[in-house]
Amino acid sequence: MPRWRIPLRAPVALAAAGVLLAGCANPSTGSAEDDPAKPVTLKFWHGWSAPGEVEAINDSIARFEKLHPNIEVRATGNVSDATTNQALRAGGDEAPDVVSSFTTNNVGQYCDSGMWVDLDPFMRKTGLDKEKVFPRSLLDYTSHQGNQCALPLLADAFGMYYNKDAFEEAGISRPPRTMSELVAAAKKLTVRSGDSYERVGFMPNFRLYQNSPDRLFAQWGPAYFDEEGHARLAEEPATYDFFETAKKLRDAQGGYDALERFRTSFGDEMSNQNAFLTGKLAMHLDGEWRGLMLEEAGAGFDWGVAPLPVPDDRPETYGRGYLTGTVVGIAHSSKHQNAAWELVRFLTADTDQVVAFANAIHNVPSTYAALKSPELDVDPAFRTFLGIARNKYSQALPPSNNGGMYVVQLQDFAYSQEAGEVPDLRKGLRRLDELIDADTLQSQN
């Protein structure tokens, strides 16, 4: 599946594999003594499966092999994290040398388990200064507790799509920039039809498409954990403002029950029945890929893109957004780690390669140089996402050693909270922190 089609609750499926992986005390040991100039065959496992994306990654490999004629790369696509984890635990000649993942939440377990090697020694040996090559926010989600076991391979940035025709009809001159403006615009853009709707201004319910609570919560720049690694959502002032803002959005547009009934009438996210495409949503949280899909579908209205609004007391952060992306690393069991590093370095840090790959699959480049490249295809909508990726306040989720189970727990809590099933928010958040800490401790034992 393309990265953006991965279900939001993917960490659940990976939880068991994640715990096993984190518990591996003796991963198969490979070698970093190989000569990368000698003939070698590398096995590269990745998750891309859509024809255009497979073609793009195969073209990338062909460019690499032209530069390194002694290295043959055998690529295997549509490989899940669970399958890769099982192969790395088993080791042996059939295990991959280079691996990629669409699930940044799992980086913590990749690093902690020792299954993905620390890339810092390879970068020092070949003179790659990661701080000068990659944006800090992307380095944050490819490392864990000082172990840089992965590097970013393109990124996804989230912003707000809006229906310009609906805005003009409602007399709204520009996209909202603060949360209070978002609430006011959402109310004005909502059109009721009896006990249902013709259109909702902004659907706040967390089960909608990409509306996982962590996506919108990123606009507050929350700290999920303290310095000791303990969950601190109950202590984070932004948490309360976030949930209160979501409630204001629901109340301004008819309440949770009415909105949820309308949401269940929406078509599939990746089809031509997408609720934004069919005009049922005037504003919509989504990633950079949606623009290309709207163009291909021939949207019957004028649309634009803007960063998501920010809290009223943090206007200087406007332009920020939630970031995620593909990560790539080297298997600890690989006996060709220096040659594998040449492939990783090419895929992630070669400017021409990163730009070509980004253009091919319409994702955000993951290096400073590629973001500024004149060869980058930048229509006005895509340019907005490039700005979000560059913004110093943009945030990715912090990695954890159990595959991001805290995100799943936040999702489940948010589902209950929005439905009115959490009578005491502070007490509920304290319980959520306890559950997150308990799962983190269990994965360490």
Side-chain angles (χ1 to χ4, degrees):
M1 278 190 303
R3 172 171 14 82
W4 37 265
R5 295 191 185 181
I6 294 175
L8 292 178
R9 295 175 61 82
V12 174
L14 299 173
V19 170
L20 288 172
L21 182 59
C24 284
N26 297 296
S28 299
T29 300
S31 171
E33 301 300 322
D34 61 301
D35 184 349
K38 289 186 176 181
V40 65
T41 298
L42 297 177
K43 293 180 288 295
F44 173 36
W45 287 11
H46 63 80
W48 286 286
S49 61
E53 294 178 327
V54 172
E55 180 181 2
I57 194 64
N58 287 341
D59 287 345
S60 299
I61 291 170
R63 288 190 288 269
F64 171 77
E65 290 178 333
K66 185 175 181 179
L67 291 174
H68 300 268
N70 62 299
I71 302 178
E72 177 187 357
V73 179
R74 294 181 181 173
T76 302
N78 198 22
V79 181
S80 69
D81 282 32
T83 298
T84 299
N85 292 348
Q86 292 168 1
L88 295 184
R89 286 198 302 274
D93 293 337
E94 298 305 313
D97 298 285
V98 176
V99 289
S100 71
S101 171
F102 298 151
T103 314
T104 59
N105 299 345
N106 289 335
V107 167
Q109 70 184 38
Y110 300 148
C111 294
D112 281 0
S113 68
M115 287 294 177
W116 290 31
V117 304
D118 184 0
L119 299 179
D120 276 325
F122 296 92
M123 286 187 274
R124 286 193 295 269
K125 184 162 50 177
T126 55
L128 191 153
D129 187 338
K130 63 182 180 182
E131 301 290 346
K132 293 181 179 179
V133 174
F134 305 103
R136 166 46 55 186
S137 55
L138 275 58
L139 288 176
D140 287 344
Y141 71 62
T142 52
S143 64
H144 189 238
Q145 297 180 347
N147 183 347
Q148 190 75 53
C149 72
L151 286 176
L153 178 55
L154 303 191
D156 286 324
F158 285 75
M160 187 180 73
Y161 288 82
Y162 65 101
N163 185 323
K164 289 185 176 181
D165 293 349
F167 268 58
E168 183 177 357
E169 173 190 313
I172 302 174
S173 61
R174 62 165 175 79
R177 296 174 183 169
T178 65
M179 291 298 168
S180 62
E181 288 182 355
L182 176 62
V183 173
K187 182 176 182 179
K188 200 170 184 179
L189 289 159
T190 296
V191 178
R192 299 297 296 261
S193 176
D195 61 354
S196 187
Y197 303 86
E198 291 181 14
R199 182 180 70 214
V200 163
F202 180 88
M203 175 64 75
N205 293 17
F206 295 127
R207 294 181 189 270
L208 171 71
Y209 300 160
Q210 297 292 326
N211 272 26
S212 177
D214 48 293
R215 308 283 165 85
L216 186 59
F217 195 21
Q219 298 307 103
W220 278 262
Y224 285 82
F225 303 99
D226 62 22
E227 292 182 357
E228 285 72 42
H230 299 129
R232 61 176 306 276
L233 289 172
E235 302 173 19
E236 173 62 78
T239 311
Y240 300 91
D241 191 22
F242 163 64
F243 280 111
E244 179 60 27
T245 298
K247 184 177 186 302
K248 288 178 180 177
L249 282 165
R250 294 192 297 271
D251 291 347
Q253 300 172 96
Y256 170 78
D257 290 336
L259 289 169
E260 189 65 6
R261 284 194 299 271
F262 189 51
R263 183 194 67 81
T264 58
S265 74
F266 294 170
D268 180 77
E269 176 186 4
M270 298 301 169
S271 75
N272 285 347
Q273 296 305 305
N274 175 282
F276 181 73
L277 179 59
T278 56
K280 293 182 177 181
L281 298 174
M283 298 179 286
H284 181 46
L285 183 162
D286 218 329
E288 78 282 344
W289 61 83
R290 180 63 55 190
L292 181 61
M293 298 179 74
L294 290 171
E295 291 175 2
E296 291 177 344
F301 54 89
D302 192 12
W303 56 272
V305 183
L308 284 160
V310 297
D312 289 50
D313 60 350
R314 305 179 192 181
E316 75 282 0
T317 66
Y318 181 68
R320 77 188 313 169
Y322 174 88
L323 302 178
T324 187
T326 300
V327 299
V328 63
I330 299 172
H332 191 278
S333 57
S334 172
K335 294 180 172 60
H336 315 290
Q337 292 178 11
N338 287 314
W341 165 246
E342 292 303 321
L343 177 59
V344 170
R345 179 168 62 155
F346 174 78
L347 291 175
T348 62
D350 182 283
T351 301
D352 291 341
Q353 158 58 24
V354 174
V355 170
F357 193 35
N359 286 342
I361 68 172
H362 206 68
N363 280 172
V364 174
S366 41
T367 69
Y368 287 121
L371 284 165
K372 299 175 183 177
S373 172
E375 300 302 316
L376 190 63
D377 293 341
V378 283
D379 57 63
F382 195 61
R383 191 175 295 117
T384 298
F385 290 101
L386 297 182
I388 293 169
R390 295 190 195 104
N391 189 285
K392 66 179 181 180
Y393 296 107
S394 290
Q395 185 177 52
L397 284 170
S400 68
N401 62 2
N402 62 358
M405 278 302 297
Y406 72 93
V407 183
V408 177
Q409 290 162 325
L410 173 62
Q411 288 172 346
D412 289 340
F413 177 82
Y415 298 154
S416 297
Q417 196 278 336
E418 69 177 355
E421 298 170 1
V422 181
D424 187 325
L425 181 57
R426 186 172 297 276
K427 184 176 180 180
L429 288 170
R430 286 174 178 165
R431 175 59 179 158
L432 175 60
D433 284 343
E434 291 173 358
L435 290 172
I436 292 172
D437 287 343
D439 272 353
T440 300
L441 181 62
Q442 181 180 6
S443 69
Q444 293 172 339
N445 295 332

